[in-house]
Amino acid sequence: LFLVYTLAPEQNVIDLASRAVVIAGSGFLLMLILGIWALTWRVLIPIRRTSLASQRLAGGRLSERLPVHGEDEIATLSRSFNEMAASLEAQIEAWEKLSKIERLFVSDVSHELRTPLASIRLATEQIQDAREEISDPFALRSIQVLSSSVDRFETMLTDLLDISRIDSGNVKLRLEEIDLA
């Protein structure tokens, strides 16, 4: 059949169809690439920006905020993130103020308790010095309990003052080499 009849017109149709498929495929591929780029630009980049901002917020940058553009889901996400960041910042500031007030209170109470404790300690020592004159066993036992309670109270107050100094940053650590043997 090929020797008798020429197939050139059919070959032209096949070539034309092949070119059309290649051109259409290239156009479709170009549209697909542009669509993916637009999707990435519109959705994934703001999500990535939000992820990075949340990492910075978790790292301590409490002033981190996201720009809000439009009224879509990404803008809603940005607004929610900004509200969360503002709430966290306010809570942490409130806790810092409360912590500062607590440190001042502990320090003031510790110092105010020192004076009455010194008076109680002095009175306890005076009573212990005079215990030979006391014959009542109940009174002698009371003197022992009072003395041990004053010692415990003084130890707790000293610990409280140390904690107060450490919290205020007035204590500096000194490294010292010690032979464990």
Side-chain angles (χ1 to χ4, degrees):
L1 186 64
F2 180 72
L3 293 173
V4 176
Y5 185 71
T6 179
L7 294 176
E10 286 76 19
Q11 186 63 43
N12 289 337
V13 170
I14 291 174
D15 290 342
L16 180 64
S18 297
R19 276 194 302 269
V21 167
V22 168
I23 291 172
S26 299
F28 178 73
L29 183 62
L30 181 63
M31 287 176 31
L32 184 65
I33 290 172
L34 288 175
I36 290 173
W37 177 81
L39 179 69
T40 302
W41 181 78
R42 184 79 178 128
V43 175
L44 297 180
I45 289 176
I47 290 174
R48 177 70 177 153
R49 196 176 302 139
T50 303
S51 172
L52 292 173
S54 66
Q55 289 173 358
R56 288 189 294 269
L57 182 68
R61 281 186 52 192
L62 298 177
S63 61
E64 186 68 32
R65 300 296 185 271
L66 291 173
V68 178
H69 305 290
E71 295 295 323
D72 59 354
E73 289 80 12
I74 301 297
T76 303
L77 175 66
S78 296
R79 270 193 293 283
S80 297
F81 177 86
N82 291 344
E83 290 170 6
M84 177 195 66
S87 175
L88 280 173
E89 186 175 25
Q91 287 292 328
I92 289 174
E93 286 175 0
W95 286 341
E96 285 174 351
K97 287 178 186 175
L98 185 62
S99 176
K100 194 179 286 186
I101 291 170
E102 177 190 11
R103 275 185 255 134
L104 285 173
F105 175 75
V106 168
S107 178
D108 289 348
V109 166
S110 300
H111 287 294
E112 290 298 321
L113 289 175
R114 273 286 189 208
T115 304
L117 180 63
S119 299
I120 294 170
R121 164 68 64 201
L122 184 63
T124 303
E125 289 173 358
Q126 292 294 320
I127 292 171
Q128 278 192 340
D129 289 343
R131 72 175 163 231
E132 289 85 25
E133 301 170 10
I134 300 172
S135 60
D136 184 14
F138 180 73
L140 289 172
R141 176 69 183 136
S142 296
I143 292 170
Q144 287 177 333
V145 169
L146 177 65
S147 178
S148 68
S149 294
V150 168
D151 289 341
R152 277 188 39 227
F153 186 67
E154 190 170 30
T155 301
M156 288 188 321
L157 188 59
T158 302
D159 290 345
L160 189 61
L161 278 170
D162 289 342
I163 290 170
S164 175
R165 284 188 200 109
I166 290 169
D167 279 348
S168 68
N170 291 335
V171 174
K172 294 187 179 171
L173 297 178
R174 287 178 282 127
L175 295 178
E176 204 175 291
E177 287 189 24
I178 296 176
D179 184 13
L180 292 179

